[in-house]
Amino acid sequence: MITHTDVVFKTSDTLVQKLVDAAEKKLLGNLKDFGGRTVLIEGGGYEKIWLETQPMGGEMYAKRNMEAGLNNQLLFMEHIRNDGRLPGSIALIDGRVTPQFNKFQGFCFPAPALNMYYLVGRDQAYLELLYSTLERFDAYLWKVRDSDGDGCLETWCKYDTGEDHAERYADAPDAWTEETPPEGCQTVPMASIDIMSFSYAARETLEKISLIMGKEELAANWMKKALTVQERIGSYLWNEEAGACLDRDRHHRVMPVLTHNSLRAMYWHSLPPYMADRFVREHLLNPREFWTKMPLPSVAVNDPLFRNITTNNWSGQAQALTYQRAILALENYGYDRLIPLLGRKLFEAIGEKCVFVQQYDPFTMKPSAVSLKGEQDAYGPAMLSVLEYAARMYGVHIQGEQLFWGSVSGSESTYEQQWGENRFRIENSGASAVAYVNGKKIFEAGPDLKVVTDLAGRVLSVLPFAERADCGRIMAFI
């Protein structure tokens, strides 16, 4: 099993260097002992591991600490309830590791948990545990969360989707512990693109695991089941006129508020490409909606329910967690060129003070430095986003059996990833880049490219990281 990882990054871009150094230092303070096991908590006043952030955050941090990255997956799997429900959060209370089942709190789990299988060196017992966990959780969702039998899974409280204090939830409870939906609320139980996407992501990942296990017939069955979820999303939640997914309230009425949640669905890969393309083209890149000075507000800024509230509230301001999720969401649908644009926006918004907070004003880019618990810093999703955008733009990222290399132009840099006995290094002059695997030169590339290789360094594909990047500017040596 691979246990040791490390990253060394140096750049002439003083802002990026300062942000990366500060994030690395402050993340050490988010490492905590949960029952004798090191985990990476969310931080910034959130002292737990949450299903919406910490499996994803742990997998990202595995670049630097494999133990924490792995434990951030295992603790959720090991605390699955007998009926198949995963805890929405896990806390350390009076020295005891305590799973909490009063919300789903998102589900940024299947993709990072599967990638950890590769990162740790293909542990078969881990893979089997992940398969069982996803199978049981998916069965739980369909047994419990389609309370009206319309074939669409439901959110029952604000914390189910992690949309704290969101106006669109109206009088819905924050949390909910019961196995039947709350009664008498204006909107919930709400037919939800998020919860449907939970099921799609689980089933698609089960298909991938089945293929790894050599069970092709089982894999085909899981993909068939995943597509039934996607088809229901298309027939019930996709709004052709709006070009976006819109949830439905307890009376099955379309809720017209234009949220960023279609981007979340892209993270879970639950949208067919034409839906994702329409949302990106018509809404995500629309400066009157989501492509504001600080892009990615939670609700389109021209929507009647948009609220520019500076404390934890998913009714308006751009969230660091959305930036963290956006990387995979955009990669899933071939919008890699947007990643450096968002990375630079985030770097500039955080700025020289290196205070890492939860939210940012979409019009001014100003960090909302005061949380509901007072002055905020060391918020994990903000720090991990800085490190992950830097890795994608200037460094190397391990995904499954592939390496993603970035040659974003403008500054000199060196980025070296140690992964067990292997070292992956890319040197960027600002105008071109040279990559090495264990000291052997594998390619030279022009600026603003994303180069995909296998683990030995053989070039598999080249993608643009900018509008006019020349994908032909690459020379492979193996």
Side-chain angles (χ1 to χ4, degrees), residues 337-355:
R337 65 179 177 82
L338 298 180
I339 291 172
L341 300 179
L342 291 174
R344 178 52 61 177
K345 285 287 188 178
L346 184 65
F347 299 155
E348 293 174 356
I350 297 172
E352 296 282 347
K353 292 183 179 179
C354 296
V355 176

Side-chain angles (χ1 to χ4, degrees), residues 134-421:
L134 294 174
E135 181 180 38
R136 292 169 63 191
F137 183 63
D138 183 66
Y140 169 86
L141 289 175
W142 287 101
K143 181 179 179 180
V144 176
R145 284 304 182 106
D146 182 16
S147 67
D148 57 8
D150 67 355
C152 191
L153 298 172
E154 301 157 349
T155 173
W156 292 352
C157 66
K158 296 171 186 174
Y159 294 169
D160 269 346
T161 58
E163 292 175 81
D164 301 7
H165 310 292
E167 293 280 332
R168 75 188 191 100
Y169 268 88
D171 60 352
D174 288 338
W176 190 252
T177 59
E178 305 302 318
E179 296 302 299
T180 54
E183 298 180 358
C185 296
Q186 295 176 39
T187 59
V188 297
M190 184 194 304
S192 169
I193 180 60
D194 285 66
I195 312 302
M196 286 291 278
S197 296
F198 293 1
S199 177
Y200 181 88
R203 292 178 175 190
E204 184 185 61
T205 306
L206 285 163
E207 182 253 355
K208 293 177 180 178
I209 295 172
S210 298
L211 287 174
I212 294 170
M213 293 177 170
K215 300 178 180 180
E216 294 185 2
E217 186 175 341
L218 183 60
N221 186 50
W222 278 119
M223 183 46 62
K224 182 179 179 181
K225 289 183 175 181
L227 290 175
T228 63
V229 177
Q230 189 177 78
E231 288 163 4
R232 187 56 176 158
I233 289 172
S235 65
Y236 196 57
L237 298 179
W238 175 256
N239 188 289
E240 188 66 23
E241 182 179 357
C245 289
L246 302 176
D247 291 346
R248 291 176 180 256
D249 69 15
R250 63 187 293 260
H251 302 291
H252 306 276
R253 297 174 300 203
V254 173
M255 300 176 67
V257 57
L258 184 57
T259 69
H260 79 292
N261 295 46
S262 294
L263 181 65
R264 293 184 181 208
M266 290 169 61
Y267 173 88
W268 289 302
H269 204 217
S270 62
L271 300 185
Y274 82 91
M275 292 183 186
D277 290 343
R278 277 202 64 190
F279 180 75
V280 171
R281 186 174 64 252
E282 297 176 22
H283 301 295
L284 191 71
L285 295 179
N286 186 338
R288 297 183 302 277
E289 295 181 351
F290 294 102
W291 205 254
T292 45
K293 185 174 182 180
M294 181 67 176
L296 310 187
S298 299
V299 175
V301 297
N302 62 352
D303 191 280
L305 281 188
F306 171 82
R307 302 288 185 271
N308 199 13
I309 297 170
T310 59
T311 53
N312 175 24
N313 192 300
W314 285 79
S315 298
Q317 292 204 341
Q319 299 272 350
L321 176 53
T322 302
Y323 274 72
Q324 190 178 9
R325 282 191 280 230
I327 297 172
L328 182 59
L330 296 171
E331 288 178 339
N332 279 340
Y333 293 89
Y335 287 98
D336 303 77
R337 65 179 177 82
L338 298 180
I339 291 172
L341 300 179
L342 291 174
R344 178 52 61 177
K345 285 287 188 178
L346 184 65
F347 299 155
E348 293 174 356
I350 297 172
E352 296 282 347
K353 292 183 179 179
C354 296
V355 176
F356 298 92
V357 303
Q358 188 169 357
Q359 296 185 178
Y360 303 85
D361 188 303
F363 306 112
T364 68
M365 298 179 66
K366 181 180 178 181
S368 296
V370 180
S371 73
L372 293 178
K373 297 182 179 180
E375 294 291 329
Q376 189 180 44
D377 191 11
Y379 180 61
M383 297 188 292
L384 290 165
S385 291
V386 164
L387 299 183
E388 201 66 16
Y389 279 98
R392 293 301 211 277
M393 293 162 66
Y394 312 110
V396 59
H397 170 72
I398 304 167
Q399 186 73 40
E401 298 177 305
Q402 297 179 340
L403 302 172
F404 296 172
W405 308 79
S407 68
V408 169
S409 61
S411 58
E412 297 180 5
S413 64
T414 60
Y415 188 108
E416 184 168 279
Q417 171 74 63
Q418 182 176 354
W419 183 47
E421 298 300 317

